[in-house]
Amino acid sequence: MSHLLFVETTGLGVEALAHAKRSGHTVAYLHCPLYDFTATPAQRGRAVQLPDHAAPFAAALNGDAVYAAPLASGADPTGVDDGFPLLAERTPAPAG
């Protein structure tokens, strides 16, 4: 199975994250407190509980901070097969 990285989320994104887990993928989730408005508190709580790895990051426009977040969560960013930056217009791609 693949190692998938979700960067931030919306309510629908939480469902995508849950589906990825049910499908057997390894999932990492990076979240930024600046974007708490993108999902309800319950959805955001679920998004942090579902993945294999979860970590916050503070600066969405700082590529180094986004890259460092998976390391802090215990995930290996070089082993990510695909990334889903759900705030694509604001977040640099964390996997390259």
Side-chain angles (χ1 to χ4, degrees):
M1 287 292 147
S2 298
H3 183 183
L4 306 176
L5 176 62
F6 288 76
V7 181
E8 248 329 311
T9 195
T10 62
L12 289 175
V14 175
E15 295 309 313
L17 196 155
H19 180 73
K21 283 299 300 168
R22 282 192 306 270
S23 298
H25 299 288
T26 300
V27 175
Y29 169 58
L30 309 182
H31 53 95
C32 181
L34 297 174
Y35 298 100
D36 280 351
F37 62 89
T38 63
T40 68
Q43 290 168 325
R44 292 185 75 74
R46 185 171 177 232
V48 171
Q49 293 174 347
L50 284 169
D52 302 287
H53 306 280
F57 65 97
L61 296 177
N62 180 331
D64 291 335
V66 174
Y67 185 81
L71 294 173
S73 76
D76 175 11
T78 63
V80 170
D81 295 304
D82 207 348
F84 301 94
L86 297 175
L87 299 174
E89 75 281 355
R90 301 204 183 275
T91 306

